[in-house]
């Protein structure tokens, strides 16, 4: 079985998920990981699937028959699922310009790899004012930078009036 990444996007409509997953299933493919989200009027899917090498071309042809969708397929390789030095980084607070960039810049400066990252705006429980939310899974290549990371997180919390939790993944 080959690992493939399937990226699908197009104007949102009912049935996109069913259409795409049917094509994968009909060729005995297996969806291992997926993310699907509506962004504005568009729907986006990112899928990691495994499928027989000889069926990839058929899958691509079948998926390209959906003229209302843009589709890309790429072969990839599995990574180990080793959770050593992985942390959950969760930020909640005022919606400030540049906060996501400053967090990801910090990760870059400390040679921290982003495994997964999600952002969204939430409404504060009592006031309903917008709160910015980041949830990321990060991998520290060198655990010795953990104290430096925590110190810089405090600086971001103070500068942007946010709360950040850093918890080791289990």
């Amino acid at each position: 079985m080959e690992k493939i990444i399937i990226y699908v996007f197009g104007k949102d409509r009912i049935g996109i998920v069913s259409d795409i997953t049917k094509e994968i299933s009909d060729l005995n493919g297996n969806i291992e990981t997926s993310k699907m989200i509506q962004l504005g009027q568009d729907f986006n899917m990112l899928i990691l699937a495994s499928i027989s090498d000889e069926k990839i071309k058929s899958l691509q042809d079948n998926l390209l028959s959906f003229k209302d969708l843009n589709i890309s397929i790429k072969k990839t390789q599995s990574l180990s699922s080793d959770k050593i030095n992985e942390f959950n980084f969760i930020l909640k607070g005022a919606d400030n310009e540049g906060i996501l960039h400053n967090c990801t810049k910090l990760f870059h400066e400390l040679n921290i790899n982003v495994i997964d990252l999600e952002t969204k705006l939430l409404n504060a429980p009592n006031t309903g004012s917008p709160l910015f939310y980041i949830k990321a899974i990060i991998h520290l290549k060198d655990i010795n930078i953990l104290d430096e990371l925590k110190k810089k997180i405090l600086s971001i919390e103070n500068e942007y009036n946010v709360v950040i939790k850093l918890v080791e993944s289990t």
Side-chain angles (χ1 to χ4, degrees):
M1 298 288 266
E2 294 288 330
K3 302 280 187 199
I4 59 172
I5 297 170
I6 305 167
Y7 177 52
V8 179
F9 68 96
K11 187 170 181 181
D12 191 28
R13 65 170 169 78
I14 294 173
I16 293 175
V17 175
S18 178
D19 289 344
I20 301 303
T21 58
K22 177 186 183 310
E23 296 299 334
I24 296 166
S25 181
D26 284 353
L27 292 169
N28 296 351
N30 183 45
I31 295 174
E32 297 180 11
T33 303
S34 66
K35 293 222 179 216
M36 303 173 196
I37 187 169
Q38 182 183 33
L39 297 170
Q41 293 183 340
D42 293 297
F43 192 76
N44 293 263
M45 301 173 70
L46 189 58
I47 299 168
L48 175 66
S50 55
I51 191 168
S52 298
D53 190 40
E54 63 273 4
K55 293 182 180 179
I56 294 174
K57 175 74 171 113
S58 295
L59 177 62
Q60 187 166 14
D61 292 343
N62 294 351
L63 292 177
L64 291 174
S65 71
F66 296 104
K67 299 299 181 196
D68 62 330
L69 301 173
N70 295 290
I71 297 172
S72 171
I73 296 178
K74 176 191 181 300
K75 284 187 181 182
T76 191
Q77 303 217 351
S78 293
L79 291 174
S80 73
S81 59
D82 189 2
K83 301 264 185 215
I84 294 174
N85 298 345
E86 275 191 11
F87 290 80
N88 293 321
F89 175 96
I90 300 169
L91 176 148
K92 290 182 184 175
D95 184 18
N96 294 299
E97 276 187 32
I99 192 161
L100 178 61
H101 169 68
N102 279 300
C103 291
T104 56
K105 179 180 166 191
L106 170 62
F107 300 155
H108 180 225
E109 289 170 353
L110 295 179
N111 200 27
I112 295 172
N113 193 31
V114 176
I115 306 298
D116 189 25
L117 189 140
E118 172 186 1
T119 66
K120 59 177 126 179
L121 282 177
L122 304 171
N123 291 326
N126 294 330
T127 65
S129 59
L131 292 177
F132 190 66
Y133 173 83
I134 299 173
K135 181 180 178 189
I137 300 172
I138 58 175
H139 178 258
L140 280 60
K141 294 181 183 212
D142 179 3
I143 196 65
N144 295 319
I145 63 158
L146 187 57
D147 288 337
E148 183 178 357
L149 174 62
K150 288 178 179 179
K151 188 183 332 175
K152 292 192 178 202
I153 283 174
L154 283 174
S155 175
I156 290 173
E157 286 180 317
N158 291 331
E159 181 178 347
Y160 288 99
N161 191 29
V162 296
V163 175
I164 299 173
K165 289 184 183 178
L166 186 68
V167 180
E168 193 165 2
S169 296
T170 54

